[in-house]
Amino acid sequence: MRRTTAVLGTLTTAAALTLTAAPADAADGVIYLLYGNSIVREHQDPRGCYHVPHAVDGIDNRTDKSVVLSLNACDEPIDALDTVAPGERDFVLTGVESAHVID
């Protein structure tokens, strides 16, 4: 009986963690990564994290969610350098490696 209770407790915990770790909803709109006034990359209804190429010097956030620019790659913890609010355009400083769509 103890073993069954322990297994059920473990499964319940695993299910709860799975539900809380679900990815955020996609943002409505488009994120443009820019070089000058030219679009380098376009992300429609973005979700999660995107690599920022070294040539990018601007970001145009035409979504309903904020975008955090990080000095780290997508698979590393966020080292926030700047936050670009919905509807805002901003410069991307040298060293930015990733852009994270935040709820």
Side-chain angles (χ1 to χ4, degrees), residues 34-96:
L34 310 167
Y35 177 71
N37 288 323
S38 299
I39 297 171
V40 175
R41 292 239 169 96
E42 177 180 325
H43 299 288
Q44 182 72 38
D45 297 331
R47 168 175 41 192
C49 182
Y50 296 91
H51 171 72
V52 176
H54 292 285
V56 168
D57 62 2
I59 183 169
D60 192 359
N61 181 8
R62 297 293 162 199
T63 72
D64 60 348
K65 303 205 180 194
S66 293
V67 176
V68 174
L69 300 177
S70 175
L71 296 172
N72 289 339
C74 287
D75 60 349
E76 298 174 1
I78 296 173
D79 184 6
L81 179 65
D82 191 13
T83 300
V84 184
E88 297 292 319
R89 186 175 181 162
D90 205 351
F91 294 104
V92 173
L93 299 176
T94 302
V96 169

